[in-house]
Amino acid sequence: GSAALADALRENLSPEAVAAIASWLQPASTNDPKVNREIRWFSEQLAQALGGWDQQSRLAEDLGL
């Protein structure tokens, strides 16, 4: 579930890397609405693993994104 995903992210990626990935995924769009929903879901999981979108935005800004 989501908790296992958050644990895996924390174990394998720095918060900065998670923030960068979430930033790059935010504008992602395909011609498949189901895939778009899945991308949005994954982006949300990334942000929540960081403590929310505000924290994600702070980290992304620090990285120059």
Side-chain angles (χ1 to χ4, degrees), residues 4-61:
L5 177 59
D7 288 344
L9 292 170
R10 280 191 283 278
E11 290 171 15
N12 294 287
L13 299 169
S14 68
E16 291 81 7
V18 174
I21 294 165
S23 291
W24 282 101
L25 286 177
Q26 280 185 294
S29 184
T30 73
N31 63 1
D32 185 329
K34 181 178 185 283
V35 171
N36 292 340
R37 282 191 302 276
E38 292 168 350
I39 292 169
R40 283 193 300 275
W41 175 86
F42 188 60
S43 297
E44 184 66 31
Q45 299 305 305
L46 294 172
Q48 292 310 311
L50 295 170
W53 285 108
D54 288 344
Q55 180 64 11
Q56 186 277 337
S57 293
R58 278 191 289 279
L59 288 167
E61 188 174 324

